[in-house]
Amino acid sequence: MATKLWRGNTGSSVLDLQQKLNRNGYSLDEDGVFGSSTYNAVLDYQRKNNLAVDGVVGDETWGSLNRTTVPSRPTTGKDVLTGVSDETYDKLHRLEEGFKPSEAVEAAREVQNSLESVRPGEYRSSFEEELARLYEQISGGKDFSYDAGQDAQYLNYAHLYARRGRETMEDTLGTASGLTGGYASSYAQTASQQAYGRYMQELAELMPELEQSARQQYEASRQRLTDQYDWLSQREQADYKRYLQEQEAWQADYDRAGKEAETLRQAEYNDYKLRLQHYTSMANAEQKASGGVRANTGAAAAEEKKASLSSAAAQSLHRAMSNYFKGGETARAAALAQQYRDRMTPAQKQRVRKLFADNGAQIDL
């Protein structure tokens, strides 16, 4: 098992890492220090070679860096594995080129990438302005004070009692004058004024009741504002809760898609290591059995014809394109379809065309 390296390590293993990275096109100082430059180079290398992008150099990254021990088309004697059959040589040759995730893994990763298109945006309250207005009314309202001159109810009563008082005063004055032959008298004046005063006294006695009524209306008005504020606050909280649930659901989908892609990649990588170990052992066994006499021809088999897109990869691509459509990114969905069209079966192409048609778009496959 290769030495695992990460940021901060030093020594000969880091120097070996830097030398291998430089042979892959990087320009690192070969100082044996795993610093920022080496860390960024590792991330870039892992990304370009479809490895787990974590900046940690483990078995998978070492295996990728250590590949290319056999040329792609060896023909000279020194390039031929003595005592190994063509079939074994070809299998080993392909495996030693390094681990390459399948299109199913790439498509599964595309599902996670596409989910960025449907990520919920920042929360925007539909009630913020109204809540602010109500809060200002509640917190900025004046304390209760009673001013009869501003009380419509009091003014109505004052008008009513004043009119009735005048009517009673006039009736009293007319009655008293009739008793004296139609001549006004001090008695008549006094009696009429007393009748008017009784109405004014009744109006004065109503003041506490009117003030209490005004207080109740003031308190009821403030309570309505408070109730409205509380009701809107509850709606705000429910709205924000739904938003959090959408965020959590999206994050769960995003994490699940990443986990599915990584699980598939890890399974393929484990299978790759087993096959590499198997054919390495077979080559050693064939060399030992032949005594170095039998040799392969030195020519790797013809390139394997690319198989049609697997059903798993096609399903992942369909999910990814659906996400792009939901996010309004039709161009990205089209680019993804074009990227894999040469590998699609007729049935897979038909399904993609239907997806585009259902979303009001067309695709030429």
Side-chain angles (χ1 to χ4, degrees):
M1 181 179 292
T3 303
K4 181 177 287 189
L5 299 175
W6 52 83
R7 197 169 185 170
N9 287 151
T10 59
S12 58
S13 295
V14 177
L15 178 60
D16 183 33
L17 168 66
Q18 292 169 331
Q19 291 171 343
K20 285 181 168 60
L21 286 169
N22 285 342
R23 286 197 290 272
N24 280 273
Y26 298 90
S27 301
L28 301 172
D29 292 335
E30 297 179 4
D31 55 6
V33 178
F34 199 138
S36 298
S37 298
T38 303
Y39 175 73
N40 291 330
V42 169
L43 290 177
D44 184 68
Y45 179 84
Q46 291 174 330
R47 189 177 299 108
K48 289 179 178 177
N49 289 274
N50 291 317
L51 306 173
V53 183
D54 56 9
V56 177
V57 183
D59 289 344
E60 184 179 2
T61 303
W62 277 121
S64 179
L65 287 167
N66 289 329
R67 70 177 186 262
T68 64
T69 56
V70 180
S72 58
R73 289 291 184 273
T75 55
T76 63
K78 65 177 182 180
D79 293 323
V80 176
L81 291 176
T82 303
V84 177
S85 66
D86 285 339
E87 180 183 1
T88 300
Y89 166 75
D90 182 60
K91 295 289 187 182
L92 189 58
H93 158 73
R94 295 184 188 281
L95 289 168
E96 287 181 335
E97 288 181 341
F99 170 67
K100 295 179 181 179
S102 70
E103 286 180 332
V105 174
E106 295 174 0
R109 284 175 174 167
E110 191 65 38
V111 172
Q112 186 180 42
N113 294 337
S114 68
L115 285 169
E116 290 288 353
S117 299
V118 292
R119 183 173 192 161
E122 293 184 3
Y123 177 73
R124 295 182 181 277
S125 172
S126 302
F127 311 97
E128 184 176 359
E129 292 184 4
E130 183 64 12
L131 284 170
R133 185 186 67 79
L134 289 170
Y135 179 79
E136 185 176 350
Q137 286 184 284
I138 294 170
S139 61
K142 296 180 180 179
D143 293 336
F144 175 76
S145 63
Y146 185 68
D147 180 1
Q150 301 296 322
D151 183 4
Q153 191 174 16
Y154 170 80
L155 294 175
N156 287 336
Y157 272 112
H159 175 73
L160 175 64
Y161 275 77
R163 179 171 59 80
R164 289 181 178 178
R166 285 194 302 272
E167 291 172 352
T168 301
M169 182 175 66
E170 290 171 358
D171 289 344
T172 300
L173 183 61
T175 300
S177 297
L179 294 174
T180 57
Y183 295 97
S185 63
S186 59
Y187 167 74
Q189 290 287 342
T190 301
S192 64
Q193 290 176 355
Q194 287 176 344
Y196 180 81
R198 282 196 298 273
Y199 275 98
M200 294 300 99
Q201 180 62 35
E202 290 180 11
L203 177 62
E205 291 174 352
L206 278 175
M207 286 290 290
E209 182 179 341
L210 293 174
E211 181 177 354
Q212 180 62 25
S213 176
R215 180 183 293 276
Q216 290 175 348
Q217 292 179 19
Y218 167 83
E219 292 176 350
S221 177
R222 288 187 63 83
Q223 186 60 49
R224 281 194 298 272
L225 289 174
T226 302
D227 291 344
Q228 189 175 4
Y229 183 87
D230 291 342
W231 179 72
L232 283 177
S233 294
Q234 291 174 5
R235 291 189 63 187
E236 165 86 351
Q237 292 171 9
D239 200 40
Y240 185 64
K241 183 178 180 180
R242 282 193 297 272
Y243 168 78
L244 291 179
Q245 290 172 342
E246 290 176 1
Q247 278 279 16
E248 291 172 359
W250 178 88
Q251 189 65 55
D253 288 343
Y254 186 83
D255 293 342
R256 181 166 50 253
K259 185 176 181 180
E260 289 174 357
E262 179 57 26
T263 299
L264 182 58
R265 186 202 65 81
Q266 188 61 51
E268 290 186 0
Y269 179 64
N270 291 340
D271 180 65
Y272 161 80
K273 289 194 298 183
L274 288 174
R275 287 186 290 113
L276 179 60
Q277 182 180 8
H278 169 74
Y279 283 104
T280 299
S281 298
M282 184 174 290
N284 291 333
E286 288 180 2
Q287 285 181 321
K288 183 177 181 180
S290 68
V293 175
R294 177 166 53 88
N296 65 323
T297 63
E303 290 293 330
E304 296 179 1
K305 181 180 179 181
K306 287 188 176 181
S308 298
L309 200 64
S310 69
S311 59
Q315 186 175 10
S316 294
L317 290 174
H318 195 275
R319 288 170 57 192
M321 287 185 285
S322 296
N323 288 332
Y324 283 134
F325 276 121
K326 290 178 184 177
E329 298 191 44
T330 303
R332 294 191 68 177
L336 191 58
Q338 294 293 352
Q339 180 182 345
Y340 288 91
R341 69 175 182 176
D342 293 338
R343 301 285 307 284
M344 294 181 188
T345 65
Q348 290 168 350
K349 289 182 179 180
Q350 182 60 31
R351 190 177 181 214
V352 171
R353 291 191 192 97
K354 184 177 184 305
L355 174 64
F356 273 72
D358 290 343
N359 286 277
Q362 292 183 338
I363 186 72
D364 181 15
L365 298 176

